[in-house]
Amino acid sequence: MMKIKRQTDKQVIQQALNILSNHLDPSNYARFVAACQLGEGDYLKTKDQLFTPETVDSLYEKIQAFETVKNESQP
């Protein structure tokens, strides 16, 4: 008999949040999390995980690239 390893709801939510954090700009990601009331956890720890490798310059470049792609995709 084959066993299927099933993720917990918390693991699925974390996976979804990781995907969203890679595809939304930081302010919209924060708004989404707040709107879903996913208030469990430590914001400061999450913030450090998301932004530790970043600098002001790298964040600025990502914002510019995101805005460019967003503007190009609008009719």
Side-chain angles (χ1 to χ4, degrees):
M1 186 168 153
M2 186 175 167
K3 289 188 178 185
I4 297 173
K5 185 175 180 181
R6 184 172 174 240
Q7 291 181 320
T8 65
D9 289 346
K10 189 173 185 174
Q11 289 171 319
V12 172
I13 291 169
Q14 185 59 49
Q15 185 179 8
L17 289 174
N18 288 338
I19 292 167
L20 288 172
S21 72
N22 289 326
H23 293 282
L24 292 174
D25 68 88
S27 64
N28 283 341
Y29 174 77
R31 288 177 57 201
F32 174 80
V33 172
C36 290
Q37 297 180 359
L38 299 172
E40 182 180 312
D42 181 353
Y43 167 74
L44 295 176
K45 183 178 176 184
T46 302
K47 176 185 70 77
D48 288 342
Q49 289 173 343
L50 288 172
F51 299 115
T52 293
E54 302 293 348
T55 65
V56 171
D57 291 333
S58 69
L59 287 172
Y60 181 74
E61 288 173 11
K62 286 182 177 183
I63 292 167
Q64 282 186 316
F66 179 84
E67 290 294 323
T68 300
V69 169
K70 186 171 89 172
N71 290 336
E72 289 174 353
S73 66
Q74 293 179 353

Coordinates of all heavy atoms in Angstrom, one line a residue:
M1 N 0.8 -1.2 0.0 CA 0.0 0.0 0.0 C 0.9 1.3 0.0 O 1.8 1.4 0.8 CB -0.9 0.0 1.2 CG -1.9 1.1 1.2 SD -3.1 0.7 2.5 CE -3.6 2.3 2.9
M2 N 0.6 2.2 -0.8 CA 1.3 3.4 -1.0 C 0.8 4.5 0.0 O -0.4 4.7 0.1 CB 1.2 3.9 -2.4 CG 2.1 5.1 -2.7 SD 1.9 5.3 -4.5 CE 2.6 6.9 -4.6
K3 N 1.8 5.1 0.7 CA 1.4 6.2 1.6 C 1.5 7.5 0.9 O 2.5 7.8 0.2 CB 2.2 6.2 2.9 CG 1.9 5.0 3.8 CD 2.7 5.2 5.1 CE 2.3 4.0 6.0 NZ 2.9 4.2 7.3
I4 N 0.6 8.4 1.1 CA 0.7 9.8 0.6 C 1.0 10.7 1.7 O 0.3 10.7 2.7 CB -0.7 10.1 -0.1 CG1 -0.9 9.2 -1.3 CG2 -0.6 11.6 -0.6 CD1 -2.3 9.4 -1.9
K5 N 2.0 11.5 1.5 CA 2.3 12.5 2.5 C 1.5 13.8 2.3 O 1.7 14.4 1.2 CB 3.8 12.8 2.5 CG 4.3 13.7 3.6 CD 5.8 13.9 3.6 CE 6.1 14.9 4.8 NZ 7.6 15.1 4.8
R6 N 0.7 14.1 3.2 CA -0.2 15.3 3.0 C 0.4 16.5 3.8 O 0.7 16.3 5.0 CB -1.6 14.9 3.5 CG -2.6 16.0 3.3 CD -4.0 15.5 3.6 NE -4.9 16.6 3.5 CZ -5.7 17.0 4.5 NH1 -5.6 16.4 5.6 NH2 -6.5 18.0 4.3
Q7 N 0.5 17.6 3.2 CA 0.9 18.8 3.9 C -0.2 19.3 4.9 O -1.4 19.1 4.6 CB 1.2 19.9 2.9 CG 2.5 19.7 2.1 CD 2.7 20.8 1.2 OE1 1.8 21.4 0.6 NE2 4.0 21.1 1.0
T8 N 0.3 19.9 5.9 CA -0.7 20.6 6.9 C -1.2 21.8 6.2 O -0.6 22.4 5.3 CB 0.0 20.9 8.2 OG1 0.9 21.9 8.0 CG2 0.6 19.7 8.8
D9 N -2.3 22.3 6.7 CA -2.9 23.6 6.2 C -1.9 24.7 6.4 O -1.7 25.5 5.5 CB -4.2 23.9 7.0 CG -5.3 23.0 6.6 OD1 -5.2 22.3 5.6 OD2 -6.3 23.0 7.3
K10 N -1.2 24.7 7.5 CA -0.2 25.8 7.7 C 0.9 25.7 6.7 O 1.4 26.7 6.2 CB 0.4 25.6 9.1 CG 1.3 26.7 9.6 CD 1.7 26.6 11.0 CE 2.5 27.8 11.5 NZ 2.8 27.7 12.9
Q11 N 1.4 24.5 6.3 CA 2.4 24.4 5.3 C 1.9 24.9 3.9 O 2.6 25.5 3.2 CB 2.8 22.9 5.2 CG 3.6 22.4 6.4 CD 3.9 20.9 6.3 OE1 3.0 20.2 6.0 NE2 5.1 20.5 6.7
V12 N 0.6 24.6 3.6 CA 0.0 25.0 2.3 C -0.1 26.5 2.3 O 0.3 27.2 1.3 CB -1.3 24.4 2.1 CG1 -2.0 25.0 0.9 CG2 -1.2 22.9 1.9
I13 N -0.5 27.1 3.4 CA -0.6 28.6 3.5 C 0.8 29.2 3.3 O 0.9 30.2 2.6 CB -1.3 29.0 4.8 CG1 -2.8 28.6 4.8 CG2 -1.1 30.5 5.1 CD1 -3.5 28.7 6.1
Q14 N 1.8 28.6 4.0 CA 3.1 29.2 3.9 C 3.7 29.1 2.5 O 4.3 30.0 1.9 CB 4.1 28.5 4.8 CG 5.5 29.1 4.9 CD 5.5 30.5 5.3 OE1 4.9 30.9 6.3 NE2 6.1 31.4 4.6
Q15 N 3.4 28.0 1.8 CA 3.8 27.8 0.4 C 3.1 28.9 -0.5 O 3.7 29.5 -1.3 CB 3.4 26.4 -0.1 CG 3.9 26.1 -1.5 CD 3.6 24.7 -1.9 OE1 2.8 24.0 -1.2 NE2 4.1 24.3 -3.0
A16 N 1.8 29.1 -0.3 CA 1.1 30.1 -1.0 C 1.6 31.5 -0.8 O 1.8 32.3 -1.7 CB -0.4 30.1 -0.7
L17 N 1.9 31.8 0.5 CA 2.5 33.1 0.8 C 3.9 33.3 0.2 O 4.2 34.4 -0.3 CB 2.6 33.3 2.3 CG 1.2 33.5 3.0 CD1 1.4 33.5 4.5 CD2 0.5 34.7 2.6
N18 N 4.7 32.3 0.1 CA 6.0 32.4 -0.6 C 5.8 32.7 -2.0 O 6.5 33.5 -2.6 CB 6.8 31.1 -0.4 CG 7.3 30.9 1.0 OD1 7.4 31.9 1.8 ND2 7.6 29.7 1.4
I19 N 4.8 32.1 -2.7 CA 4.5 32.3 -4.1 C 4.1 33.8 -4.3 O 4.6 34.5 -5.2 CB 3.5 31.3 -4.7 CG1 4.1 29.9 -4.7 CG2 3.0 31.8 -6.0 CD1 3.1 28.8 -4.9
L20 N 3.1 34.2 -3.4 CA 2.6 35.6 -3.5 C 3.7 36.6 -3.3 O 3.8 37.6 -4.0 CB 1.5 35.8 -2.6 CG 0.2 35.1 -2.9 CD1 -0.8 35.2 -1.8 CD2 -0.4 35.6 -4.2
S21 N 4.6 36.3 -2.3 CA 5.6 37.3 -2.0 C 6.6 37.5 -3.2 O 7.2 38.5 -3.4 CB 6.4 36.9 -0.8 OG 7.2 35.8 -1.0
N22 N 6.7 36.4 -4.1 CA 7.6 36.5 -5.2 C 6.9 37.2 -6.4 O 7.6 37.6 -7.4 CB 8.0 35.1 -5.6 CG 9.0 34.6 -4.7 OD1 9.8 35.3 -4.1 ND2 9.0 33.3 -4.5
H23 N 5.5 37.3 -6.4 CA 4.8 37.9 -7.5 C 4.1 39.2 -7.3 O 3.5 39.7 -8.2 CB 3.8 36.8 -8.1 CG 4.6 35.6 -8.6 ND1 5.1 35.6 -9.9 CD2 4.8 34.4 -8.1 CE1 5.7 34.5 -10.1 NE2 5.6 33.7 -9.1
L24 N 4.0 39.6 -6.0 CA 3.4 40.9 -5.7 C 4.4 41.8 -5.2 O 5.4 41.4 -4.6 CB 2.3 40.7 -4.6 CG 1.1 39.8 -4.9 CD1 0.2 39.6 -3.6 CD2 0.3 40.5 -6.0
D25 N 4.2 43.1 -5.4 CA 5.1 44.1 -4.8 C 4.9 44.0 -3.3 O 3.8 43.6 -2.8 CB 4.9 45.5 -5.4 CG 3.5 46.1 -5.1 OD1 3.5 46.7 -4.0 OD2 2.6 45.9 -5.8
P26 N 5.9 44.5 -2.5 CA 5.8 44.3 -1.1 C 4.5 44.9 -0.4 O 4.0 44.4 0.5 CB 7.1 45.0 -0.6 CG 8.0 44.8 -1.7 CD 7.2 44.9 -3.0
S27 N 4.1 46.1 -0.9 CA 3.0 46.8 -0.3 C 1.7 46.0 -0.5 O 0.9 45.8 0.4 CB 2.8 48.2 -0.7 OG 2.5 48.3 -2.1
N28 N 1.5 45.5 -1.7 CA 0.3 44.7 -2.0 C 0.4 43.3 -1.3 O -0.7 42.8 -0.9 CB 0.1 44.4 -3.5 CG -0.4 45.7 -4.2 OD1 -1.0 46.5 -3.6 ND2 -0.2 45.7 -5.5
Y29 N 1.5 42.8 -1.1 CA 1.7 41.5 -0.4 C 1.2 41.8 1.1 O 0.5 41.0 1.6 CB 3.1 41.0 -0.4 CG 3.4 39.8 0.5 CD1 2.9 38.5 0.1 CD2 4.0 39.9 1.7 CE1 3.2 37.4 0.9 CE2 4.3 38.8 2.5 CZ 3.8 37.6 2.1 OH 4.0 36.5 2.9
A30 N 1.7 42.8 1.7 CA 1.4 43.2 3.1 C -0.1 43.4 3.2 O -0.8 43.0 4.1 CB 2.2 44.4 3.5
R31 N -0.7 44.1 2.2 CA -2.2 44.4 2.2 C -2.9 43.1 2.1 O -4.0 42.9 2.8 CB -2.5 45.3 1.1 CG -2.1 46.7 1.3 CD -2.4 47.6 0.1 NE -3.8 47.6 -0.2 CZ -4.4 48.0 -1.3 NH1 -3.6 48.3 -2.3 NH2 -5.6 48.0 -1.5
F32 N -2.5 42.2 1.3 CA -3.2 40.9 1.1 C -3.2 40.1 2.4 O -4.2 39.6 2.9 CB -2.5 40.0 0.0 CG -3.1 38.7 -0.1 CD1 -4.3 38.4 -0.7 CD2 -2.5 37.6 0.5 CE1 -4.9 37.2 -0.8 CE2 -3.0 36.3 0.4 CZ -4.2 36.1 -0.2
V33 N -2.0 40.0 3.1 CA -1.9 39.3 4.3 C -2.8 39.9 5.4 O -3.5 39.2 6.1 CB -0.4 39.2 4.8 CG1 -0.3 38.6 6.2 CG2 0.4 38.4 3.8
A34 N -2.8 41.2 5.4 CA -3.6 41.9 6.4 C -5.1 41.7 6.1 O -5.9 41.4 7.1 CB -3.3 43.4 6.4
A35 N -5.5 41.7 4.9 CA -6.9 41.5 4.5 C -7.4 40.1 4.8 O -8.5 39.9 5.2 CB -7.1 41.8 3.0
C36 N -6.5 39.2 4.7 CA -6.8 37.8 5.0 C -6.7 37.5 6.5 O -7.1 36.4 7.0 CB -5.9 36.8 4.3 SG -6.2 36.8 2.5
Q37 N -6.3 38.4 7.3 CA -6.2 38.3 8.7 C -5.3 37.1 9.1 O -5.7 36.3 9.9 CB -7.5 38.3 9.4 CG -8.3 39.6 9.2 CD -9.6 39.6 9.8 OE1 -10.1 38.7 10.4 NE2 -10.3 40.7 9.7
L38 N -4.2 37.0 8.4 CA -3.3 35.9 8.7 C -2.3 36.4 9.7 O -1.1 36.2 9.6 CB -2.6 35.4 7.4 CG -3.4 34.9 6.3 CD1 -2.6 34.7 5.0 CD2 -4.1 33.7 6.7
G39 N -2.8 36.9 10.8 CA -2.0 37.5 11.8 C -1.1 36.6 12.7 O -0.4 37.1 13.6
E40 N -1.1 35.3 12.4 CA -0.3 34.4 13.2 C 1.1 34.6 12.8 O 1.5 34.8 11.7 CB -0.7 33.0 12.9 CG 0.0 32.0 13.7 CD -0.4 30.6 13.4 OE1 -1.6 30.3 13.4 OE2 0.5 29.7 13.2
G41 N 2.0 34.6 13.8 CA 3.4 34.7 13.5 C 4.0 36.0 13.9 O 3.3 36.9 14.5
D42 N 5.3 36.2 13.7 CA 6.0 37.3 14.1 C 6.4 38.2 12.9 O 7.2 37.8 12.1 CB 7.3 36.9 14.9 CG 8.1 38.0 15.4 OD1 7.8 39.1 15.1 OD2 9.1 37.7 16.1
Y43 N 5.8 39.3 12.8 CA 6.0 40.2 11.6 C 7.5 40.5 11.5 O 8.0 40.5 10.4 CB 5.2 41.5 11.7 CG 5.7 42.5 10.7 CD1 5.3 42.3 9.3 CD2 6.4 43.6 11.0 CE1 5.8 43.2 8.4 CE2 6.9 44.5 10.1 CZ 6.6 44.3 8.8 OH 7.1 45.2 7.8
L44 N 8.1 40.8 12.6 CA 9.6 41.2 12.5 C 10.4 40.1 11.9 O 11.3 40.3 11.1 CB 10.1 41.7 13.8 CG 9.4 43.0 14.4 CD1 9.9 43.3 15.8 CD2 9.6 44.1 13.4
K45 N 10.1 38.9 12.3 CA 10.8 37.7 11.8 C 10.5 37.5 10.3 O 11.4 37.3 9.5 CB 10.4 36.4 12.6 CG 11.2 35.2 12.2 CD 10.8 34.0 13.1 CE 11.5 32.8 12.6 NZ 11.0 31.6 13.4
T46 N 9.3 37.6 10.0 CA 8.9 37.5 8.6 C 9.5 38.6 7.7 O 10.0 38.3 6.6 CB 7.3 37.6 8.4 OG1 6.8 36.5 9.2 CG2 6.9 37.4 7.0
K47 N 9.5 39.8 8.2 CA 10.1 40.9 7.5 C 11.6 40.7 7.3 O 12.1 40.9 6.2 CB 9.9 42.2 8.3 CG 10.6 43.4 7.7 CD 10.5 44.6 8.6 CE 11.3 44.5 9.8 NZ 12.7 44.7 9.7
D48 N 12.3 40.2 8.3 CA 13.7 39.9 8.2 C 13.9 38.8 7.1 O 14.9 38.8 6.4 CB 14.3 39.5 9.5 CG 14.5 40.6 10.5 OD1 14.4 41.8 10.0 OD2 14.6 40.4 11.7
Q49 N 13.1 37.7 7.1 CA 13.2 36.7 6.1 C 13.0 37.2 4.7 O 13.7 36.8 3.8 CB 12.2 35.6 6.4 CG 12.5 34.8 7.7 CD 11.4 33.8 8.0 OE1 10.3 33.9 7.5 NE2 11.8 32.8 8.9
L50 N 12.1 38.1 4.6 CA 11.8 38.6 3.2 C 12.8 39.6 2.7 O 13.1 39.6 1.5 CB 10.4 39.3 3.2 CG 9.2 38.4 3.3 CD1 7.9 39.3 3.5 CD2 9.0 37.6 2.1
F51 N 13.3 40.4 3.6 CA 14.1 41.5 3.1 C 15.6 41.5 3.6 O 16.3 42.4 3.2 CB 13.5 42.8 3.6 CG 12.1 43.0 3.0 CD1 11.0 43.1 3.9 CD2 11.9 43.2 1.7 CE1 9.7 43.2 3.4 CE2 10.6 43.3 1.1 CZ 9.5 43.4 2.0
T52 N 16.0 40.5 4.3 CA 17.4 40.5 4.8 C 18.4 40.6 3.6 O 19.4 41.4 3.7 CB 17.7 39.2 5.6 OG1 17.0 39.3 6.8 CG2 19.2 39.1 6.0
P53 N 18.3 39.8 2.5 CA 19.3 39.9 1.5 C 19.2 41.2 0.7 O 20.0 41.5 -0.2 CB 19.0 38.7 0.6 CG 17.5 38.5 0.8 CD 17.2 38.8 2.2
E54 N 18.2 42.0 0.9 CA 17.9 43.2 0.1 C 18.6 44.5 0.6 O 18.9 44.6 1.8 CB 16.4 43.5 0.1 CG 15.5 42.4 -0.5 CD 15.8 42.1 -1.9 OE1 16.4 42.9 -2.6 OE2 15.3 41.0 -2.4
T55 N 18.9 45.4 -0.3 CA 19.4 46.7 0.0 C 18.3 47.7 -0.5 O 17.4 47.3 -1.3 CB 20.7 47.0 -0.6 OG1 20.5 47.0 -2.1 CG2 21.8 45.9 -0.2
V56 N 18.5 48.9 -0.2 CA 17.6 49.9 -0.7 C 17.7 49.9 -2.2 O 16.7 50.0 -2.9 CB 17.9 51.3 -0.2 CG1 17.1 52.4 -0.9 CG2 17.7 51.4 1.4
D57 N 18.9 49.8 -2.8 CA 19.1 49.8 -4.2 C 18.4 48.6 -4.9 O 17.8 48.8 -5.9 CB 20.6 49.9 -4.6 CG 21.2 51.3 -4.2 OD1 20.4 52.3 -4.2 OD2 22.4 51.3 -4.0
S58 N 18.6 47.4 -4.3 CA 18.0 46.2 -4.9 C 16.5 46.3 -4.8 O 15.8 45.9 -5.8 CB 18.5 45.0 -4.2 OG 18.1 44.8 -2.9
L59 N 15.9 46.8 -3.7 CA 14.5 46.9 -3.7 C 14.0 47.9 -4.7 O 12.9 47.7 -5.3 CB 14.0 47.3 -2.3 CG 14.1 46.2 -1.2 CD1 13.8 46.8 0.2 CD2 13.2 45.1 -1.5
Y60 N 14.7 49.0 -4.9 CA 14.3 50.1 -5.8 C 14.3 49.5 -7.2 O 13.4 49.7 -8.0 CB 15.2 51.2 -5.7 CG 14.9 52.4 -6.7 CD1 13.8 53.2 -6.5 CD2 15.7 52.6 -7.8 CE1 13.5 54.2 -7.4 CE2 15.4 53.6 -8.7 CZ 14.3 54.4 -8.5 OH 14.0 55.4 -9.4
E61 N 15.3 48.7 -7.6 CA 15.4 48.0 -8.9 C 14.2 47.1 -9.1 O 13.6 47.0 -10.2 CB 16.7 47.3 -9.0 CG 17.9 48.2 -9.2 CD 19.2 47.5 -9.2 OE1 19.2 46.2 -9.3 OE2 20.3 48.2 -9.1
K62 N 13.9 46.3 -8.1 CA 12.8 45.4 -8.2 C 11.4 46.1 -8.4 O 10.6 45.7 -9.1 CB 12.7 44.5 -6.9 CG 13.8 43.4 -6.9 CD 13.6 42.5 -5.7 CE 14.7 41.4 -5.7 NZ 14.5 40.5 -4.6
I63 N 11.3 47.2 -7.7 CA 10.1 48.0 -7.8 C 10.0 48.6 -9.2 O 8.9 48.5 -9.8 CB 10.0 49.2 -6.7 CG1 9.8 48.5 -5.3 CG2 8.9 50.2 -7.0 CD1 10.1 49.5 -4.2
Q64 N 11.1 49.1 -9.7 CA 11.1 49.7 -11.1 C 10.7 48.6 -12.1 O 9.9 48.8 -13.0 CB 12.4 50.3 -11.4 CG 12.7 51.6 -10.8 CD 14.0 52.2 -11.3 OE1 15.0 51.6 -11.4 NE2 13.9 53.5 -11.7
A65 N 11.3 47.4 -11.9 CA 11.1 46.3 -12.9 C 9.6 45.9 -12.8 O 9.0 45.6 -13.8 CB 12.0 45.1 -12.6
F66 N 9.1 45.8 -11.6 CA 7.7 45.4 -11.4 C 6.8 46.4 -12.1 O 5.8 46.1 -12.8 CB 7.4 45.3 -9.9 CG 5.9 44.9 -9.6 CD1 5.5 43.6 -9.7 CD2 5.0 45.9 -9.4 CE1 4.2 43.3 -9.4 CE2 3.7 45.6 -9.1 CZ 3.3 44.3 -9.2
E67 N 7.0 47.7 -11.9 CA 6.2 48.8 -12.4 C 6.3 48.7 -14.0 O 5.3 48.9 -14.7 CB 6.6 50.1 -11.9 CG 6.3 50.4 -10.5 CD 4.8 50.4 -10.2 OE1 4.1 50.9 -11.0 OE2 4.4 49.9 -9.1
T68 N 7.5 48.5 -14.5 CA 7.6 48.4 -16.0 C 6.8 47.3 -16.6 O 6.1 47.5 -17.5 CB 9.1 48.2 -16.3 OG1 9.9 49.3 -15.8 CG2 9.3 48.1 -17.8
V69 N 6.9 46.1 -15.9 CA 6.1 44.9 -16.4 C 4.6 45.2 -16.3 O 3.8 44.9 -17.2 CB 6.5 43.7 -15.6 CG1 5.5 42.5 -15.9 CG2 7.9 43.3 -16.0
K70 N 4.2 45.8 -15.2 CA 2.8 46.1 -15.0 C 2.3 47.1 -16.0 O 1.2 46.9 -16.6 CB 2.6 46.7 -13.5 CG 1.2 46.9 -13.2 CD 1.0 47.3 -11.7 CE 1.1 48.8 -11.5 NZ 0.8 49.2 -10.2
N71 N 3.1 48.2 -16.3 CA 2.7 49.2 -17.3 C 2.6 48.6 -18.7 O 1.8 49.0 -19.5 CB 3.6 50.4 -17.2 CG 3.4 51.2 -15.9 OD1 2.3 51.1 -15.3 ND2 4.4 51.9 -15.5
E72 N 3.5 47.7 -19.0 CA 3.5 47.1 -20.3 C 2.4 46.2 -20.5 O 1.9 46.0 -21.7 CB 4.9 46.3 -20.5 CG 6.1 47.3 -20.7 CD 7.4 46.5 -20.8 OE1 7.4 45.3 -20.6 OE2 8.4 47.2 -21.0
S73 N 1.9 45.6 -19.5 CA 0.8 44.6 -19.6 C -0.6 45.3 -19.6 O -1.6 44.6 -19.9 CB 0.8 43.6 -18.5 OG 0.5 44.2 -17.3
Q74 N -0.7 46.6 -19.4 CA -1.9 47.3 -19.4 C -2.2 47.8 -20.8 O -1.3 48.2 -21.5 CB -1.9 48.5 -18.5 CG -1.8 48.1 -17.0 CD -1.8 49.3 -16.1 OE1 -1.7 50.4 -16.5 NE2 -1.9 49.0 -14.8
P75 N -3.5 47.7 -21.2 CA -3.8 48.1 -22.6 C -3.7 49.5 -22.9 O -3.7 50.4 -22.1 CB -5.3 47.7 -22.8 CG -5.8 47.3 -21.4 CD -4.6 47.2 -20.5

